[in-house]
Every structure is written in C-alpha cells, then in structure tokens.
Amino acid sequence: MKSIHALQLPLLAAVTLMAACNNNSTTQQAGADSTKVPAFEVSSIDSTVKPCDDFDGFVNGNWKKNNPIPSTESRWGAFNVLDKQNKEVRLKGIILSLAEQKDLKKGTEEQQISDFYRSFLDTATIEKLGITPLQPYLDKINGIQSLADWAKVSGDLQNIGISAPFGFGVDADARNSKMNAVYEGQDGLSLGEKSYYERQDSSTVNVRSEFVTHVNKQFNQAGFKDADPGKTILDFETKLAKIQLSNVQLRDPVKTYNKAPFSELKKLAPAVDWDAFADIQGIKPDTLIIQDKAYLQGASALLKSTPLETLKTWLRWQTLSHFASYLPKPIDNENFHFFATVMRGTKAQKPRLERAIRATDGTMGMPLGKLFVKKYFPESSKQKVSEMIENVRTVYGERVDALTWMGDSTKKMAHKKLASFTYKIGYPDKWKDYSTIDIKPATLIENIVSASHFSHKEALDKIGKPVDKTEWGMTPQTVNAYYNPLNNEVVFPAGILQPPFFNANADDAINYGGIIAVIGHEFTHGFDDQGSQFDADGNLKNWWTDKDRKNFMALSNKYVRYFDGIEVLPGFHINGALTIGENTADLGGLTLAYYALAKSLKGKPEPALIDGYNWKQRFFLGWAQVWHGNSTEAALRNQVQTDPHSPARDRINGPLPHLKEFADAWAGTPGNKMVLPDSARVVIW
C-alpha cells in the first residue's frame, strides 16, 4: 500500500535488486555495431564445471572469481553494476551539472535537486548542528505523560516516516480496486522480521547481541540518559514480534483483508487513543482495512502492560534510528556498522559524494528521473519492449490453452485477465508537481522532513478518491520491474531496459533469456499464489473452480517443498512458502520466454552457432547472466529470513531442473545433478 508517510507498495511482486552486469561481452548479432555493448562475455564461463551439474558455476564461475564483492557492497552482480552505472555515472553527471549552476529558481526541480545534494555534502553544518534538528520531536517525546499522549506523539511522528507498532497507509481497495482506501497494518520491528527475534542459531543470537550494543552506543552518542536502552528496546520488540504475523502469513491477501468501521479499532485495541493517533495525521475514514485483528488486540494489551518510560525510550530510538544516516559522523558510522556490516556483511561505507547522489535520488527520485530519461532512454526502446510484451501475452494464452490441469471455465477467465493486462514502459506519461517540497542547501534533516510531509499529504489527498492508474510505483532510473495486482499491470522502468537485460544489438536468444524472461516473470505474477486471487479488474475475487484451484495449489506446494530443500548456508534453508511467488514467476518467465523465442524462429532457417553455442543454449546463457552475483554470508542469511526472492544462485539453478528444455539444450542425463525425472518436475504454465 502507499503509506501515509512514504511511498511503499508491499502488494507488488517485483524483480528485486540483486546484482550487476559486466559490460565486455562478445556474443552479438551479425552486423551489429561492434562498438556497442554486446550480449555475453564467454570468458565468464568456467568450462571445468558441467552445465547440468551447476549451471551457475558453469556460466558465471570465472565472472565470480574475477568480480569479488566490493568492500562497499554486500552483494555484487548484474543488478548492482547497472544500478551503480545509473546512479554513480549518469545521475551523478546530471546532479553535478546542476550543482555548478547558480541562482536556480526556488521550487524548480533543478533547484531542489541541487540544494538537496548540497545539504547532504555540507558535513560542516551537519557536525555543528549535532542532533539539534531532532530536538522538536524529542521534546514531544519527553513531554509524554500518558498512554494517550504517547498515541498522539506516535501519530505525529508517523507524519515524517517514523515507525509505530502499527500504521496507516493508502492504496486501492483490494475488493474495489478503482477506489482508494485506508489500510492499517503492523510495524515497528527494528530488525525487520519476527524471525530475527525468535531464531536460536548462533548467527541470529549474535545479531540480537550486537543490536543491544548498537542501541546503547547510539543513545550514548546522542546524549540520551535512558537506562539500559538496548535491552529495553530488544525486550519490547521481542514481545511485539511474538504477536505479529510472519512474512509468510502476510502474503495471504484474503486473511489480511478485514474491512471494518473506524470505530472497531477502539474495540480491538482500547489502550490506544485512535482518535488522537489518526487526527494528528489528518485521517478519519468511515471504514478502513485491518491487516490482523488479533495483532491489534495483542498490541493493545502489550502497550497497556508496558511502562510508559519504556514506550518513550522506544520512540526516541525510532526517531534517532530513522534519521541516523543524516546525523554527525559518529552516529552515521555506527548506524552503518550495525545495519550494513552486522546485518549484511558490508565492510566499508561508500564515499560521501556517492552517498549524496544516492540520497538525492532517494528523496528527489522522480524529478531526477525526468532528467534521466531525456538523456538516456531512446523512444525506440519503448516500442521494442511493447512488441516483446505482446509476444509474451500471445504465448501465455497458448500455454493456458494447452494446460491439462485447468478446466475450460477457468481458462476462459484466465484469458480475460491476460487480455486485461496493461503495461507501462520507461517513464510516466505525466509528471507530478513537486514544487511544494521546501529544499534548502544547509538543512538536510529539514529537507528530509519536507519531502516526507509531501508524501504524507499526497497520500491523504487520495483517501476515498478514484485510483490514478497512471501513477508509477518506481522511478524511471530504477533497475527493477513490477507487477501490480490491483491495477493488473506490469511496469518496466527505463533503468532496467539496458544491457545485460535488454540489448538492441544482442543476439535474440540472449535477449529472450534476459528481458523477455523478466517480462514473463512479471506476467506470471498475475497468476502466482497471490496474483491469481485477483481478477481481471484487479479485485480480490476468486475466479477459479474449486478443482482447478486445488490442482494449482498442489503444484505450487510441490514447488514450495522443492525450494525448502535447498540449504543456502548451514542451518539456513530457503523458505519455500515465502519465496513461492517469485520462484513461480521465475519458472513461468523462463517457460514463456523460451517458447516465445521458439515461436519467433518458426519457419526460419536454424540460427547459426555463436561462440560455439546454439540458440537454445544461448537462451539459458542469457538467463544465467542477468542473475549472476556474489553475496556475503550475512547478506544471504538476511535474505533467507526476510526476502521473498531466492538468492541469485538459486534463481539461476532452481527452476532449470524443472525445464526439460534445459536438459535437452545441454545434453543432460539422469546422472546430472540438475536433471530431474519427469515425475519430480513441476510444470505450472
């Protein structure tokens, strides 16, 4: 949902930022401009590995050896390299050019971008001010005298993006997708997911221990006098985690949709002054959609039994942690140490200038995106991607017709949904007006707050109004893509429509294994375990027969068990139930892309070998290339516990044994590790 205090889209199923591309490849179409970036670097291949034993090791073995994780990263692969190029080369050039200009008109996007960048680089002012920019919020916390006061201050802090144990957001009503509604949901865990508070393995226990140390150090550096704050906060959040839904349970769109009158909040959680909490945020709907009624009951009891001083300490922590990366160096460095080094294994923080570019992009992303696409996104790419999307749509329809596990009435509805898919490519057709965000060159915290107030007001203005289906959930420069079930749309920003994902000069097979598989991935999200519960209009409504749904879930559950069996690190297995949506989308995307490629070649001469590989093999080379990557152990553990996407290696290798086409392309035999018998394969689409 679009949060009141920040743009978030948790219902979206998206390709995640994972890793990065190499830009020196050799495979390309005959006649292509050799000065352009070709498609695939054969030197990445480690020929000592058998492709049907470890395809990732075969395709990317040498790439991994030659591309260790930079000290400033926790993962490194195709997504990361392209993201770095977009931000630290292209956006950097745009921002530095603006920063050199004088007398930019107040309120223009150019002035906002330039002055935000300057404010992040103005470390002298940041160090001089210390935590004084936070003092107005800390004074409100210090002034709390009752639980009612605490609710009001918590609501006020949510206006600028600071978490409470629960929060409001705005998004399309899942059962009436043309209209916006208010959602209420759980929040407030510093470690991100309840498993971090429950697991007893040594690495997770160590994270909790480090967290206590981290909080104590940050409170000391901020000059706070709370007694034993680390233990206090961990104890409170552990109790909070115990009553929250897990990330797997949160994937159920039916159980997390509970429409009720606003007054029901008071009955479920009487310890919370909901009028004060909502009024100060400007929210007072007649109805809202509650994520989990049992959680509200538990949270109410927890708040009532928790000492008020503990709740105030927790609010101080949330405020300090939220702004830590914009505060003086000791606080900023300690924030990086815990959340980047301890949690993800990142060794060194990026240089301040690079961080300034990324912070500017994070706050002024759409205005920057407007300048980005003018300079770097050719309109020809938009047309080409539109054609590819329609090819995937056609093949998906053919695959639906051929299904043996789905009956005719469900197939009819599947075709209706498929025909209703819309798509966005590159960038928005209309740009929003951001002129009311007040950005100044020497007030970093205030700039962040102003941008938060803008997002808050933007969300408020949508309550009870029709959904604007032209709106984007990602900036154009983002290296990502997504499917939105409420709009029944797939979205492909300009940022990802570059090598190695899409290369106009590349061999078709490489492109089909790359961008076409990504397109197929996003299409498949409309029919995964979550997306399949939304109809052609984007409403949460069953359109399946009971028999067909049962057949579909049997296949999905078999795939869940398959991924459950993959051990990423000792004691850390992939959570098949958490990752089923993304894993299904990968399998579907590969299937659709492969048969779209085969369809495009029908009636034509057999394509020539390139670098010794036939077109079928090159298709799978393209797939493995876009997911290649290295990761720290800490990042892998974090991903397994929190991320609905499987690790990169398992996104490459995981679906391939279920594709007979893969074994045929690489002459796999039953003795190979990645060749499954037909009875063990999962074939959904």
Side-chain angles (χ1 to χ4, degrees):
M1 66 191 155
K2 297 179 182 70
S3 167
I4 287 294
H5 55 74
L7 285 176
Q8 298 175 352
L9 293 162
L11 281 175
L12 301 185
V15 179
T16 192
L17 285 173
M18 294 240 352
C21 76
N22 77 64
N23 294 324
N24 299 306
S25 27
T26 58
T27 301
Q28 64 188 99
Q29 281 183 320
D33 183 352
S34 61
T35 64
K36 302 286 182 70
V37 178
F40 183 83
E41 177 56 78
V42 291
S43 65
S44 295
I45 291 175
D46 182 352
S47 58
T48 66
V49 179
K50 294 180 180 179
C52 290
D53 282 344
D54 177 5
F55 197 62
D56 177 43
F58 168 71
V59 179
N60 301 316
N62 285 341
W63 185 92
K64 290 185 176 186
K65 295 173 189 174
N66 297 326
N67 291 272
I69 304 168
S71 62
T72 57
E73 310 294 333
S74 61
R75 303 178 191 172
W76 193 242
F79 281 80
N80 306 101
V81 171
L82 183 52
D83 181 64
K84 182 180 178 69
Q85 182 182 35
N86 280 351
K87 289 184 172 68
E88 296 173 15
V89 177
R90 293 169 174 170
L91 292 184
K92 179 180 178 180
I94 293 170
I95 293 171
L96 292 184
S97 175
L98 293 176
E100 292 173 356
Q101 299 180 37
K102 297 180 179 180
D103 301 321
L104 292 170
K105 185 179 178 181
K106 178 69 175 176
T108 62
E109 294 165 348
E110 290 80 3
Q111 175 268 319
Q112 292 170 320
I113 292 167
S114 175
D115 284 349
F116 185 91
Y117 169 77
R118 292 173 186 273
S119 71
F120 193 94
L121 283 182
D122 188 1
T123 54
T125 298
I126 293 170
E127 296 297 328
K128 179 181 178 181
L129 291 174
I131 68 164
T132 56
L134 304 186
Q135 201 58 52
Y137 314 111
L138 297 174
D139 288 344
K140 292 178 181 179
I141 296 170
N142 294 336
I144 292 173
Q145 298 294 320
S146 65
L147 195 53
D149 290 344
W150 183 87
K152 182 176 181 180
V153 172
S154 294
D156 194 21
L157 294 176
Q158 281 209 352
N159 291 335
I160 57 172
I162 297 170
S163 294
F166 31 73
F168 294 128
V170 179
D171 206 348
D173 186 330
R175 293 198 185 274
N176 180 19
S177 63
K178 293 181 180 180
M179 298 298 293
N180 283 304
V182 174
Y183 286 76
E184 179 282 327
Q186 67 185 38
D187 199 1
L189 300 183
S190 300
L191 301 182
E193 211 281 323
K194 67 181 297 177
S195 63
Y196 269 105
Y197 299 85
E198 298 175 341
R199 286 184 63 120
Q200 295 303 315
D201 59 276
S202 60
S203 60
T204 308
V205 170
N206 180 64
V207 166
R208 292 197 290 268
S209 176
E210 290 276 3
F211 177 66
V212 171
T213 302
H214 167 65
V215 173
N216 289 340
K217 186 170 183 178
Q218 292 292 64
F219 269 52
N220 181 61
Q221 293 184 145
F224 298 165
K225 303 302 182 183
D226 306 68
D228 205 3
K231 184 178 184 303
T232 298
I233 290 164
L234 179 62
D235 287 348
F236 175 72
E237 292 192 1
T238 299
K239 294 173 184 175
L240 195 63
K242 187 176 182 179
I243 59 175
Q244 289 196 354
L245 296 177
S246 70
N247 49 16
V248 173
Q249 292 170 317
L250 287 171
R251 297 189 74 256
D252 189 329
V254 175
K255 290 183 179 179
T256 55
Y257 183 98
N258 301 283
K259 200 162 193 176
F262 182 83
S263 59
E264 188 159 342
L265 292 176
K266 302 175 185 179
K267 297 177 183 178
L268 292 168
V272 179
D273 187 336
W274 288 102
D275 288 326
F277 183 76
D279 286 349
I280 201 165
Q281 295 184 63
I283 304 168
K284 197 59 183 290
D286 294 328
T287 61
L288 77 168
I289 298 161
I290 298 170
Q291 187 179 68
D292 180 26
K293 293 183 178 182
Y295 171 70
L296 285 179
Q297 292 171 326
S300 179
L302 175 60
L303 292 173
K304 188 174 182 179
S305 65
T306 301
L308 190 61
E309 286 306 313
T310 294
L311 298 179
K312 292 168 69 173
T313 296
W314 187 78
L315 275 186
R316 287 188 195 95
W317 162 246
Q318 290 296 325
T319 303
L320 180 62
S321 184
H322 179 75
F323 288 107
S325 60
Y326 308 112
L327 291 171
K329 192 172 183 179
I331 295 175
D332 175 31
N333 285 348
E334 174 58 27
N335 183 69
F336 173 84
H337 167 71
F338 179 75
F339 286 105
T341 303
V342 174
M343 293 289 284
R344 299 194 302 275
T346 310
K347 296 177 181 178
Q349 192 156 204
K350 292 180 181 292
R352 189 78 187 183
L353 188 146
E354 292 181 12
R355 292 178 62 204
I357 300 297
R358 290 176 176 270
T360 305
D361 178 52
T363 304
M364 302 301 301
M366 275 299 183
L368 260 178
K370 190 175 181 180
L371 301 176
F372 175 87
V373 295
K374 283 182 181 179
K375 192 169 184 179
Y376 294 111
F377 186 66
E379 284 300 312
S380 58
S381 292
K382 203 166 188 175
Q383 179 60 35
K384 180 66 174 176
V385 175
S386 295
E387 294 170 4
M388 292 190 291
I389 289 173
E390 292 304 332
N391 290 342
V392 170
R393 193 198 304 261
T394 298
V395 171
Y396 211 149
E398 294 171 350
R399 300 292 296 178
V400 167
D401 287 336
L403 294 176
T404 58
W405 58 264
M406 182 183 283
D408 290 341
S409 62
T410 305
K411 285 181 180 181
K412 182 179 179 180
M413 297 304 294
H415 275 292
K416 181 180 179 181
K417 181 168 186 177
L418 189 61
S420 300
F421 265 64
T422 59
Y423 51 84
K424 298 169 182 170
I425 301 168
Y427 55 89
D429 291 329
K430 62 179 183 180
W431 299 92
K432 297 179 183 178
D433 179 6
Y434 293 89
S435 61
T436 57
I437 302 177
D438 186 17
I439 304 293
K440 299 174 183 176
T443 56
L444 179 58
I445 297 292
E446 289 85 346
N447 292 341
I448 297 292
V449 168
S450 182
S452 295
H453 279 305
F454 176 89
S455 295
H456 177 84
K457 184 179 184 303
E458 183 183 35
L460 284 179
D461 290 344
K462 295 174 182 175
I463 296 174
K465 295 179 181 177
V467 172
D468 179 2
K469 295 203 173 187
T470 68
E471 187 175 30
W472 277 57
M474 287 180 179
T475 63
Q477 60 272 28
T478 303
V479 184
N480 214 325
Y482 67 87
Y483 169 73
N484 182 351
L486 299 173
N487 283 1
N488 195 26
E489 66 177 0
V490 288
V491 182
F492 302 95
I496 200 172
L497 300 177
Q498 304 174 73
F501 301 93
F502 172 61
N503 187 338
N505 299 296
D507 162 56
D508 279 350
I510 296 290
N511 267 334
Y512 273 81
I515 192 63
I516 302 292
V518 169
I519 291 171
H521 172 107
E522 298 306 339
F523 262 74
T524 305
H525 272 310
F527 300 90
D528 66 17
D529 67 310
Q530 286 181 304
S532 64
Q533 298 184 65
F534 292 82
D535 67 12
D537 296 320
N539 291 314
L540 184 57
K541 181 180 180 182
N542 182 42
W543 49 271
W544 297 65
T545 65
D546 291 342
K547 180 181 178 181
D548 292 343
R549 170 62 70 176
K550 184 178 179 181
N551 289 339
F552 173 74
M553 292 310 299
L555 291 169
S556 294
N557 290 334
K558 185 176 180 180
Y559 211 40
V560 167
R561 293 191 296 272
Y562 168 77
F563 274 92
D564 278 342
I566 299 176
E567 188 175 38
V568 176
L569 292 168
F572 283 82
H573 285 248
I574 292 176
N575 186 337
L578 174 62
T579 58
I580 183 59
E582 298 299 329
N583 292 336
T584 301
D586 282 343
L587 180 61
L590 269 167
T591 302
L592 295 173
Y594 182 89
Y595 283 99
L597 175 59
K599 185 180 181 70
S600 75
L601 297 174
K602 194 172 183 178
K604 299 177 182 178
E606 181 79 6
L609 297 178
I610 300 179
D611 296 322
Y613 298 103
N614 63 41
W615 65 269
K616 296 178 181 179
Q617 293 171 327
R618 297 197 302 274
F619 170 83
F620 291 107
L621 293 178
W623 169 255
Q625 177 181 228
V626 299
W627 295 110
H628 66 200
N630 287 313
S631 179
T632 66
E633 288 193 4
L636 279 175
R637 285 192 294 270
N638 180 268
Q639 184 172 3
V640 167
Q641 289 179 255
T642 64
D643 198 331
H645 304 80
S646 296
R649 170 184 171 81
D650 303 297
R651 296 193 75 165
I652 295 169
N653 286 356
L656 297 182
H658 297 272
L659 293 169
K660 189 175 184 298
E661 298 80 2
F662 168 74
D664 291 344
W666 295 95
T669 64
N672 292 125
K673 297 176 182 177
M674 290 180 60
V675 176
L676 292 174
D678 289 344
S679 60
R681 288 193 176 109
V682 175
V683 181
I684 300 178
W685 298 108

